[in-house]
Amino acid sequence: KGVVRKVGIAYSQINTDDGETLMVPNSLMLKKATVNMTRRRFRVIQVMFPVVLKDFGKLSELCERVRDVMLKHPDVISGQRYDDMKAKDPQLRIFEPQCTFEGYGERGAEVAIMAYTENIRDPRFMQIKSEVLLNVNEEIVKFGATFGFTFRVVTEPRE
């Protein structure tokens, strides 16, 4: 992932996000699809995580509450802004915020969230993603659910 710095006859120079300069043969770029990130109209926040509830019958209610939290974030595309984008381009592959149950895994109910923002560059996009995920976390905790992550306890050997 990076920004094209220079296109030469045989190689292109790409500045990566970690400050390296890559020399990529143009023949490779012709063989594989490349994405022009400056032309995209939106970015997606998409995460899946396990959730544990005392009463899994309330999973639907939890998903609704999580979706409502995402709808309230000012940078998430929804409502009239979503309707305007779809009216302008009905073929646009964009959706209003979603929180869906994907099935059960070893650590609980697998919940997926997805929300779209305008095409915002890093680090602002990372900040928005963090805000959305923290709001989702807060709502899940408020609901009385926990995350089904595996924890390891490390103990030091006794002498």
Side-chain angles (χ1 to χ4, degrees):
K1 188 174 168 184
V3 177
V4 176
R5 181 173 151 197
K6 181 180 174 185
V7 178
I9 295 172
Y11 290 87
S12 293
Q13 292 180 6
I14 298 175
N15 289 343
T16 67
D17 290 345
D18 14 344
E20 296 176 338
T21 299
L22 297 178
M23 300 295 289
V24 181
N26 290 338
S27 61
L28 263 181
M29 298 223 276
L30 292 172
K31 290 179 184 175
K32 293 188 175 193
T34 55
V35 177
N36 184 345
M37 301 293 223
T38 60
R39 296 190 61 109
R40 64 182 170 193
R41 291 182 270 179
F42 52 83
R43 303 223 19 208
V44 65
I45 299 167
Q46 193 167 15
V47 180
M48 186 153 55
F49 47 84
V51 172
V52 178
L53 291 160
K54 289 180 185 171
D55 180 2
F56 281 100
K58 294 185 177 185
L59 190 54
S60 179
E61 182 184 348
L62 175 63
C63 285
E64 282 298 315
R65 287 170 100 176
V66 167
R67 182 178 182 274
D68 289 345
V69 163
M70 291 189 294
L71 283 167
K72 291 176 185 169
H73 193 285
D75 292 303
V76 168
I77 298 171
S78 63
Q80 191 60 49
R81 191 163 38 153
Y82 168 81
D83 292 341
D84 292 345
M85 288 177 80
K86 289 298 275 189
K88 191 182 287 186
D89 183 359
Q91 302 299 315
L92 190 62
R93 299 239 343 120
I94 186 173
F95 307 95
E96 291 223 60
Q98 297 180 20
C99 178
T100 57
F101 168 57
E102 300 291 316
Y104 291 102
E106 293 177 10
R107 297 171 289 162
E110 296 291 338
V111 173
I113 61 167
M114 182 171 64
Y116 291 86
T117 69
E118 300 287 340
N119 182 20
I120 301 167
R121 301 187 117 199
D122 293 334
R124 178 68 182 130
F125 173 74
M126 293 185 307
Q127 182 182 359
I128 292 167
K129 180 178 180 181
S130 179
E131 290 170 6
V132 169
L133 293 176
L134 287 169
N135 292 346
V136 165
N137 176 71
E138 188 177 306
E139 189 61 33
I140 288 171
V141 170
K142 212 185 319 180
F143 195 77
T146 59
F147 294 93
F149 299 122
T150 304
F151 295 97
R152 292 186 186 160
V153 177
V154 178
T155 58
E156 293 184 28
R158 295 181 186 191
E159 293 182 21

